[in-house]
Amino acid sequence: QVYVVFSEELKCWCRALVESVQCQANGCQLRCFLVDYAKYCSVASENIRVLTGAFAKIPHRAKKCRLHCTKPLTLHIDYCENTAKIGPAKRWDTAAIQHFRKLLE
């Protein structure tokens, strides 16, 4: 279900999907995906509202997606043998993420 949350970063109300809830002594924090900005944010539980009316029927501008069958690679350097090879990695490195973002722009 899509809700309306107040984003402190954007200083406005945004449509969001609630990903998770963390309750603490001072209240609950909601981890949300902003469907019109493709951003994740944390929101206090008092800053969430139920989405009603025609606003609920507007399609989302952002969708969560992943690159199909694309696995992260990294450069493995062997200083003893003075070689460098590209091989599998557990996560994407910062340079690869920046390069991909430049390609998208």
Side-chain angles (χ1 to χ4, degrees), residues 26-102:
N26 59 350
C28 291
Q29 285 287 326
L30 308 166
R31 176 106 170 117
C32 299
F33 177 72
L34 304 179
V35 298
D36 293 320
Y37 294 93
K39 288 185 171 194
Y40 287 93
C41 69
S42 292
V43 177
S45 58
E46 61 266 7
N47 290 335
I48 186 169
R49 305 289 186 269
V50 175
L51 184 63
T52 59
F55 194 48
K57 296 176 185 171
I58 299 172
H60 304 163
R61 292 177 54 196
K63 295 185 182 204
K64 290 189 277 183
C65 61
R66 294 184 180 185
L67 298 174
H68 181 68
C69 294
T70 303
K71 300 197 182 332
L73 298 173
T74 191
L75 186 63
H76 297 283
I77 300 173
D78 187 347
Y79 292 105
C80 296
E81 295 182 19
N82 200 22
T83 61
K85 296 179 183 176
I86 294 178
K90 291 183 180 179
R91 55 190 314 212
W92 292 99
D93 60 18
T94 307
I97 294 169
Q98 290 174 351
H99 178 69
F100 182 71
R101 286 184 178 157
K102 286 180 184 177

